[in-house]
């Protein structure tokens, strides 16, 4: 037990050198926790938004539906089974019909997805209530801010949409933008318009059909019958997870650099320390410490920087991390290009797990870079070092 | 029981010097009794420090026999040698070699921590050692705040605090002025008398030699002279 005590004393009393090393190390610790927290927050926030607005507690997909294959969309619709109908009636599920169409506005043509949703649904946080028809012959439509920006549409605008119904007959009608919804979820916004499910089933000649049935959160999926396959959240969020992992890996270069700098500082200090303190090392050996104990002492001295670093990190890092967690991190313009749902403000999420593993990672690295130079102590010959002016 | 604390027989220590070989100790056969206050004297390069290093188990001879406290040092593992030094041997160095990050108290306490002595007993033993060297009022000071004489007294206290059987002092007065040198030597002689600790010095300082009861002169690694002197208080009279 005396060796750790000596190690901490030596490090704490080594003055500015120790504090500088510890400060660099603390920067790494805080940066890692902050960045990891930011990405965790990004994932949590994105996931929450997607669950609320798009995924619910999971989705039943009609056979053949592939959101990444625009050519199969036309055929991706099927009769809603009795089981699913019951769930929809009980407000435990909401169905969505998806089809392709062309939007005409001011002489321009846009390829879009038309999505039909029940205005009465309560499963998804989409303002579908405004899709109720008002008997004025114009079909109310809901679009997102991205769609509005890309197409130049705004609330009240009337536009023409052309489509091909289930029998292959082309048809067209005027729709009116009832609302431009602000959403972080691109999957319910980009290049798509929402209309009432009934209307869509009628004009597409797809009575009692749907493409997706989204169930309420915390509802246990059941066998929905032939042609309908349940996709759980793990599957539906896989892309999001992969994207965040890719972003995390990209950002990790920053803390690899920081950690590298901190480790270089510790390694350098340890190497210099062993060189400068050869007499002290020899004295310790003369007093009865074995070389292995001296190696352990110097390794622990290096690791004691971690303790100092944690203290420093706690002083400036904890308030900083709490501040960012509460106030959030304002996202710059253009974060839509990230490819997943991000709000204007991102709230980092820090967990004890994250702090524990970060500290453990830094502790292990510091132990290694402290031990490597300390091994040189084994080669020290105290008799030579302690030799005075006489031979 | 063997009454010799150190016994050497035909001790040889060679150092390679380029293509040549330097004999730092050449056929040295010596023995020291328990409780001696003796010195290995001689000019620089005569082999004094080498002899002390071998006797202190910090170095090993090229050939010959060296028995310290009844243990043949060539056959000691590094762990056993460390244990022997921890329990029975104290060192005093020319340059004091105090641990700069520790206070006077902590420096003196260090050997007791290695011996795993309990806190209360440690405190008492350090207080006694500080009293012996007259530094009770400096226990909280750091080495950088002490004079050379005070540093060496701390080094003595650190060496004697565990009451070892043997203390090896390599040029203990080389960095001290005359007055401090005499004070240090008087302190060590008193400890030799009171505690019965064997002191062996390596020195070429006349001031130290005046206190020695036995002087072994080494020249070019060989014993040139082994002289027993009368109970010496000559140093004090000077």
């Amino acid at each position: 037990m005396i060796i750790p005590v000596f190690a901490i004393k030596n490090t704490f009393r080594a003055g500015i050198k120790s504090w500088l090393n510890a400060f660099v190390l603390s920067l790494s610790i805080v940066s890692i926790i902050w960045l990891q927290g930011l990405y965790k927050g990004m994932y949590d926030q994105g996931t929450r938004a997607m669950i609320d607005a798009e995924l619910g507690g999971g989705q039943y997909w009609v056979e053949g539906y592939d959101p990444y294959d625009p050519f199969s969309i036309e055929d991706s619709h099927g009769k809603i089974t009795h089981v699913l109908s019951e769930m929809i009636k009980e407000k435990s599920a909401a169905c969505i019909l998806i089809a392709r169409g062309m939007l005409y506005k001011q002489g321009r043509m846009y390829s879009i997805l038309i999505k039909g949703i029940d205005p009465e649904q309560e499963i998804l946080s989409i303002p579908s209530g405004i899709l109720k028809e008002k008997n004025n012959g114009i079909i109310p439509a809901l679009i997102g801010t991205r769609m509005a920006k890309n197409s130049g549409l705004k609330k009240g605008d009337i536009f023409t949409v052309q489509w091909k119904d289930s029998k292959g007959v082309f048809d067209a009608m005027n729709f009116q933008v009832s609302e431009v919804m602000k959403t972080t979820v691109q999957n319910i916004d980009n290049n798509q318009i929402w209309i009432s499910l009934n209307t869509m089933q009628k004009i597409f000649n797809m009575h009692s059909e749907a493409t997706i049935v989204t169930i309420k959160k915390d509802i246990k999926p059941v066998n929905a019958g032939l042609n309908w396959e349940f996709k759980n959240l793990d599957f539906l969020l896989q892309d999001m997870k992969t994207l965040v992992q890719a972003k995390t890996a990209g950002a990790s270069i920053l803390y690899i650099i920081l950690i590298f700098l901190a480790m270089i500082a510790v390694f350098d200090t340890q190497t210099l320390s062993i060189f400068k303190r050869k007499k002290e090392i020899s004295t310790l050996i003369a007093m009865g410490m074995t070389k292995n104990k001296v190696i352990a002492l110097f390794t622990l001295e290096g690791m004691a920087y971690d303790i100092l670093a944690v203290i420093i990190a706690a002083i400036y890092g904890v308030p900083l991390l709490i501040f960012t967690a509460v106030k959030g991190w304002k996202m710059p313009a253009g974060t839509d290009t990230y490819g997943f749902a991000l709000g204007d403000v991102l709230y980092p999420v820090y967990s004890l797990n994250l702090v524990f593993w970060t500290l453990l990672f830094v502790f292990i690295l510091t132990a290694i870079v402290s031990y490597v130079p300390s091994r040189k102590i084994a080669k020290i010959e105290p008799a030579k070092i302690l030799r005075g002016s006489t031979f | 029981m063997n009454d010799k604390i150190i016994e050497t027989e035909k001790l040889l220590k060679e150092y390679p010097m380029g293509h040549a070989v330097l004999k730092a100790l050449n056929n040295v056969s010596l023995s020291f009794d328990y409780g001696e206050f003796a010195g290995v004297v001689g000019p620089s390069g005569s082999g004094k420090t080498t002899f002390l290093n071998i006797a202190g188990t910090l170095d090993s001879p090229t050939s010959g026999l060296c028995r310290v406290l009844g243990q043949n040092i060539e056959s000691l593992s590094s762990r056993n040698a460390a244990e022997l030094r921890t329990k029975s041997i104290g060192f005093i160095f020319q340059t004091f070699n105090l641990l700069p990050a520790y206070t006077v108290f902590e420096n003196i306490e260090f050997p007791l921590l290695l011996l795993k002595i309990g806190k209360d007993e440690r405190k008492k033993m350090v207080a006694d050692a500080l009293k012996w060297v007259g530094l009770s009022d400096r226990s909280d000071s750091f080495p950088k705040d002490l004079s050379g004489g005070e540093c060496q007294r701390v080094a003595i206290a650190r060496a004697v605090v565990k009451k070892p059987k043997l203390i090896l002092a390599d040029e203990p007065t080389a960095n001290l002025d005359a007055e401090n040198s005499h004070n240090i030597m008087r302190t060590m002689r008193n400890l030799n008398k009171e505690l019965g600790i064997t002191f062996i010095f390596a020195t070429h300082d006349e001031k130290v030699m005046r206190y020695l009861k036995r002087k072994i002169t080494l020249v070019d690694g060989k014993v040139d002279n082994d002289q027993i002197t009368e109970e010496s208080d000559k140093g004090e009279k000077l």
Side-chain angles (χ1 to χ4, degrees), chain A residues 2 44 75 107-108 162 176 203 259 268 303 342-343 370:
Chain A
I2 57 165
D44 284 4
D75 302 322
R108 289 180 181 273
Q162 184 204 38
Q176 184 174 33
I203 62 178
I259 274 282
D268 202 33
M303 290 179 74
L342 277 179
S370 302

Side-chain angles (χ1 to χ4, degrees), chain A residues 2 5-7 9-10 13-14 279-280 282-290 292-293 297 381-384 386-391, chain B residues 15 22 24 44-45 47-50 53 58-59 82 85-86 91 93-95 97 99-102 106 110 113-114 142 158 171 204:
Chain A
I2 57 165
V5 174
F6 290 154
K9 264 187 196 169
N10 285 347
R13 291 177 183 177
K279 202 164 237 182
E280 189 181 327
S282 302
T283 306
L284 294 173
I285 294 168
M287 282 197 284
M289 280 182 96
T290 59
N292 283 341
K293 277 186 180 168
L297 173 67
E381 293 181 49
K384 280 186 186 168
L386 292 170
R387 196 176 293 278
S389 56
T390 55
F391 191 71
Chain B
Y15 291 107
L22 176 77
S44 291
K48 306 182 297 289
T49 301
T50 304
N53 282 339
L58 291 174
D59 206 351
R85 289 195 298 273
T86 309
F91 288 90
F93 306 102
Q94 177 184 333
T95 48
N97 294 5
L99 305 173
Y102 300 159
E106 288 165 339
F110 196 94
L113 287 165
L114 294 178
F142 283 90
R158 183 176 67 181
E171 303 281 4
H204 62 315

Side-chain angles (χ1 to χ4, degrees), chain B residues 91-147:
Chain B
F91 288 90
I92 298 168
F93 306 102
Q94 177 184 333
T95 48
F96 326 130
N97 294 5
L98 299 180
L99 305 173
Y102 300 159
T103 63
V104 166
F105 184 94
E106 288 165 339
N107 263 284
I108 300 169
E109 187 189 29
F110 196 94
L112 304 178
L113 287 165
L114 294 178
L115 284 167
K116 298 184 174 115
I117 290 171
K119 193 179 175 186
D120 291 341
E121 201 183 343
R122 259 186 355 245
K123 224 171 167 181
K124 191 183 168 305
M125 289 170 85
V126 174
D128 287 345
L130 281 166
K131 212 182 287 174
W132 293 331
V133 296
L135 283 175
S136 297
D137 56 334
R138 305 303 303 266
S139 70
D140 293 329
S141 304
F142 283 90
K144 64 179 169 54
D145 303 321
L146 302 177
S147 68

Side-chain angles (χ1 to χ4, degrees), chain A residues 54 59-62 65 76 94-98 115 210-214 228:
Chain A
E54 185 193 2
Q59 293 177 333
Y60 288 95
W61 286 7
V62 75
Y65 172 63
S76 300
C95 62
I96 295 164
L97 180 62
I98 305 172
K115 290 185 173 178
T211 307
I212 292 170
V213 177
T214 304
W228 290 91

Side-chain angles (χ1 to χ4, degrees), chain A residues 86 156 302 328 376 381:
Chain A
E86 287 301 308
K376 281 188 181 164
E381 293 181 49

